[in-house]
Amino acid sequence: VQLQASGGGLVQPGGSLRLSCAASGFTSTPYRMAWYRQGPGKERELVASVTSGGTTNYGDSAEGRFTASRDNRDNTLVLRTDTAKVEDTAVYYCYVYDRWSRRNWWGPGTLVTVSS
């Protein structure tokens, strides 16, 4: 199993942020894919999660500003916002949970810095 993230880097305040996670090596569609983040001096928190059935949940800090979309054909999860804030600065982690094996996986993390 591999989780490959792309996107991130330096983003201007008020600008657009797009992160993509591609999960490979699964023999069936993973039940839950999610993005978490951990800001400086903060605990890791949920940004957004999407089940294979399309149920989407957002963390409190992401509600209303972030959009998560999932494609079960290639097990990708895209997170985007067009209103990035300085407080969105964090290391973002892709997460996958497979309920058949009851296992979960974390991606290596990708740094997003929102700064002018």
Side-chain angles (χ1 to χ4, degrees):
V1 170
Q2 283 191 326
L3 303 183
Q4 185 169 0
S6 60
L10 180 63
V11 180
Q12 296 282 335
S16 296
L17 166 65
R18 184 182 187 276
L19 299 174
S20 179
C21 174
S24 61
F26 290 90
T27 57
S28 62
T29 302
Y31 175 66
R32 180 170 177 258
M33 296 185 68
W35 280 102
Y36 285 78
R37 70 184 184 185
Q38 187 165 15
K42 299 180 181 179
E43 294 186 352
R44 192 172 296 190
E45 64 175 357
L46 173 70
V47 182
S49 71
V50 186
T51 68
S52 54
T55 299
T56 304
N57 290 294
Y58 294 96
D60 291 341
S61 61
E63 188 76 52
R65 287 198 304 118
F66 283 83
T67 301
S69 57
R70 177 174 173 173
D71 189 337
N72 289 333
R73 294 172 297 180
D74 56 6
N75 292 334
T76 58
L77 178 67
V78 175
L79 180 72
R80 55 167 55 94
T81 180
D82 292 325
T83 55
K85 297 182 177 181
V86 172
E87 50 264 44
D88 294 326
T89 295
V91 177
Y92 285 71
Y93 297 91
C94 181
Y95 169 91
V96 172
Y97 173 70
D98 176 41
R99 66 178 174 181
W100 301 113
S101 63
R102 299 183 181 180
R103 293 185 60 187
N104 58 57
W105 294 265
W106 290 94
T110 183
L111 177 63
V112 173
T113 303
V114 183
S115 174
S116 56

